[in-house]
Amino acid sequence: GVRAARIAAGHGARVGICETSRVGGTCVIRGCVPKKLLSYAAHFAEEFEDAAGFGWEVGESRFNWSRLIENKDREIDRLNKVYLRLLSDSGVVLYDGHGKLLDSHRVQVGDDIISAEKILIATGGRPWKPEIPGVEHSITSDEAFHLEALPGKALVVGGGFIACEFAGIFNGLGSEVVQAYRGDQILRGFDQDVRDTVAAEMKKKGIDIRLGVNVTELTRHADGLITAQLDDGSEIQADTVMFATGRVPNVRGLGLLDAGVHAKPGGMIPVNEYSCTNVPNIFAVGDVTNRVNLTPVALMEGHAFADSEFGGSPRPVNHGFIPSAVFSHPPVGTVGFSEKDARTRYGDLDVYRSEFTPMKHTLSGREEKTMMKLLVQASSGKVVGLHVVGMDAPEIVQGFAVAIKSGLTKQQFDRTTGIHPTAAEELVTMRTPVQG
Ligand code: NDP
C-alpha cells in the first residue's frame, strides 16, 4: 500500500491511504523485519560456542528477552516513522482508521467519506488457527513478538515458513522446542533435499520435530502450563503453544459486496495480470490476492499498478522465478523449480548437488552441513532451479537469482570465476551431475 501510494503520488495522482493499525504493513510491524531481528539474536548462542575453536574465551553469557523486545520495538517505531514521513513527503494523505467500501468509488473511514477515481486494496492477511477446543490458549506470530517472557517450553504447530523460523528462534534463544507438523516432512512445496537438510539440521540443534501429527485439543492448567493432545494419542506439555498454520486474506468489514468486488470463499480477491479486480476501477495487490505471498512481490505488484494506472506505462506483473528465503536455522535460499516440479515441467533434467562442511565449521567443530543444488534443463542447458541450505543462503541466492531470472545456462555458470574461499563458489564449480 505504501509503495503504490508513493509511486502514484510521484506520478502526480492525488492519493489518500487508510490504515487501521500502523503504516509499514505486516512485514515491518509484525513480520519479516522483527522476525529477522529475533533470528539474529538467536544466532548469537551458536556464535559464542563457535568462537572457542578460534581461540576466544567468551565466558558466561546471559540472554535478556525484555531487552531484545524493547530494542526491537524501538526499531519498529523508527521504521514506522520513516514510513509516515515517506507518505507525507510524497503528499499522500493518511486517514487513520478502518476503510469500508460503500460502492465502487466511495470509502468510509470513521466519519469521513472519501471519493476516489481508483481504489487499491492492499490489506494483506492475518494468521489463521484451526478451530480446536482450547485454541484460545494458543498464540500466533502476532503475539510471539510481544511475549512477556521467552517460552520455557514452546510447541510450534505447522511446517511452513513461520513455524520453521520461530522454532529456530525460540530454540536458539534457549527454549525447549517441539515442532508438530501434519505432513511427512516440513516445508512442503520446497525441494525434497532442502526439506530433508533443514529438518536434519534443525533436529541436530535440538528441535524435536514430530511429523504426521495434528493437535486436536489444548487444555490450560492452573499453573499456566498447557497440555496439547495429539491425534496419535500422545500429549505435549508447553507454556507456549504457537500456531503457524497459514494466513488468510484480510477482507473482514471491507464492504467488498457493496462495491461489487468478487472474492473467493476464504476472502482471496481474484485479479488479472494488471492487478485489476472484476470492478474496472478497483485493484488489489499483495497477500489479499493470494498470488505469491511475499513482501517484495506485493511491492512489485503495487509499483506496477501505480506505473500502469498513473504513470502512463502499463505493465503486467511477471511472477516467474521469484527468489525466496526461509530464515530457519540454518536458513534456506531458493529460486526456480524444485527437482520434482522441474522434472514434471521439463522432463530432461541434470541435477547437480553438493553437501559440505562450511569452512567456518572446520575450526568451530560444529557439525552443520551446507547443501547446494542446481537443476538444469538438459536440452537447453538453462538453469531452472537453484537451492541453498546453510549459512548466508538468502544472501547468496539473491545474487544468483539475477542469473536464473535472466535465463542463463549451466555453461555460463561454468564460465564464471569463483570467489575463493567462499561457499557460493560451489555454485559455479559443480561439474558432474548426480542423477537424483
Ligand atoms: P505456510 O502456508 O507457509 O504454512 C502453513 C503451515 O501450516 C503448513 O505447514 C500447513 O501444512 C500447516 N497447516 C495448514 N492448515 C493446517 C491445519 N488445519 N492443521 C495443521 N496444520 C495446518 O504459512 P505460514 O503461516 O508459515 O506463513 C504465511 C505466509 O507468510 C506464507 O505464505 C509465506 O509466504 C509468508 N512468509 C514468508 C516468509 C519469508 O519470506 N521468509 C516468512 C514468514 C512468512 P501443509 O503443508 O500440510 O499444508
Side-chain angles (χ1 to χ4, degrees), residues 184-204:
D184 60 1
Q185 184 57 287
I186 57 170
L187 293 175
R188 184 168 65 82
F190 284 77
D191 185 273
Q192 192 65 38
D193 282 317
V194 168
R195 302 171 72 187
D196 293 343
T197 309
V198 176
E201 295 299 332
M202 285 173 70
K203 281 186 204 161
K204 273 192 219 163

Side-chain angles (χ1 to χ4, degrees), residues 267-287:
M268 180 268 244
I269 301 177
V271 289
N272 67 15
E273 76 262 46
Y274 293 95
S275 297
C276 190
T277 69
N278 64 300
V279 179
N281 71 305
I282 301 186
F283 298 78
V285 294
D287 289 12

Side-chain angles (χ1 to χ4, degrees), residues 35 128 130 158-163 165 181-182 188 214 244-247 293-294 325-327:
K35 173 276 309 288
W128 175 87
F161 282 81
I162 297 180
E165 293 181 343
Y181 173 52
R182 64 182 178 180
R188 184 168 65 82
N214 279 291
T245 41
R247 296 173 63 90
N293 297 339
L294 297 169
V326 186
F327 292 92

Side-chain angles (χ1 to χ4, degrees), residues 102-423:
L102 298 176
D103 53 42
S104 62
H105 283 285
R106 290 183 311 144
V107 181
Q108 175 159 20
V109 188
D111 293 335
D112 289 327
I113 293 179
I114 303 124
S115 293
E117 188 189 325
K118 294 178 204 277
I119 294 172
L120 176 69
I121 301 169
T123 49
R126 62 192 150 79
W128 175 87
K129 299 196 258 192
E131 285 173 22
I132 57 162
V135 75
E136 66 276 10
H137 303 308
S138 67
I139 61 165
T140 67
S141 57
D142 280 358
E143 297 84 32
F145 291 115
H146 300 285
L147 291 174
E148 280 182 13
L150 176 69
K153 181 160 180 182
L155 166 61
V156 179
V157 187
F161 282 81
I162 297 180
C164 292
E165 293 181 343
F166 268 92
I169 288 168
F170 287 144
N171 180 64
L173 295 177
S175 310
E176 199 182 317
V177 179
V178 180
Q179 184 178 354
Y181 173 52
R182 64 182 178 180
D184 60 1
Q185 184 57 287
I186 57 170
L187 293 175
R188 184 168 65 82
F190 284 77
D191 185 273
Q192 192 65 38
D193 282 317
V194 168
R195 302 171 72 187
D196 293 343
T197 309
V198 176
E201 295 299 332
M202 285 173 70
K203 281 186 204 161
K204 273 192 219 163
K205 292 180 193 301
I207 298 170
D208 176 2
I209 301 180
R210 312 258 179 106
L211 298 173
V213 288
N214 279 291
V215 176
T216 53
E217 187 170 355
L218 298 178
T219 316
R220 179 166 222 137
H221 307 286
D223 59 3
L225 271 185
I226 301 165
T227 302
Q229 194 71 52
L230 270 57
D231 61 356
D232 64 352
S234 64
E235 284 183 356
I236 297 168
Q237 304 269 345
D239 53 55
T240 307
V241 177
M242 174 175 152
F243 276 87
T245 41
R247 296 173 63 90
V248 289
N250 233 341
V251 292
R252 259 193 315 218
L254 266 190
L256 295 182
L257 221 54
D258 295 328
V261 176
H262 291 164
K264 297 258 181 193
M268 180 268 244
I269 301 177
V271 289
N272 67 15
E273 76 262 46
Y274 293 95
S275 297
C276 190
T277 69
N278 64 300
V279 179
N281 71 305
I282 301 186
F283 298 78
V285 294
D287 289 12
V288 78
T289 63
N290 199 22
R291 284 176 279 180
V292 180
N293 297 339
L294 297 169
T295 302
V297 177
L299 294 175
M300 188 168 78
E301 292 166 355
H303 201 132
F305 154 77
D307 285 349
S308 300
E309 296 303 315
F310 302 102
S313 52
R315 59 183 170 95
V317 179
N318 180 340
H319 287 96
F321 292 101
I322 290 171
S324 70
V326 186
F327 292 92
S328 44
H329 292 205
V332 179
T334 173
V335 55
F337 296 95
S338 67
E339 183 177 337
K340 183 163 160 260
D341 290 350
R343 278 195 194 288
T344 311
R345 196 180 166 96
Y346 299 103
D348 58 335
L349 201 68
D350 285 338
V351 179
Y352 297 80
R353 187 181 181 285
S354 173
E355 195 180 88
F356 54 94
T357 301
M359 192 173 174
K360 181 179 175 189
H361 295 323
T362 56
L363 292 202
S364 76
R366 183 171 299 284
E367 277 185 38
E368 185 179 303
K369 296 280 184 214
T370 288
M371 195 283 295
M372 294 187 175
K373 195 165 172 180
L374 278 183
L375 305 170
V376 180
Q377 184 187 19
S379 56
S380 67
K382 209 170 120 176
V383 183
V384 295
L386 185 153
H387 309 277
V388 179
V389 180
M391 217 189 295
D392 302 323
E395 302 289 344
I396 294 169
V397 172
Q398 178 66 87
F400 275 98
V402 179
I404 309 281
K405 177 84 181 171
S406 307
L408 297 196
T409 61
K410 178 70 170 65
Q411 198 187 35
Q412 288 164 309
F413 273 56
D414 293 346
R415 282 188 196 145
T416 305
T417 311
I419 298 176
H420 189 70
T422 63

Side-chain angles (χ1 to χ4, degrees), residues 47-70:
E47 296 288 338
F48 296 143
E49 286 174 12
D50 291 348
F54 294 88
W56 286 92
E57 280 173 34
V58 174
E60 198 192 337
S61 60
R62 261 188 312 277
F63 170 68
N64 185 327
W65 171 262
S66 307
R67 187 173 313 150
L68 171 64
I69 296 302
E70 222 176 274

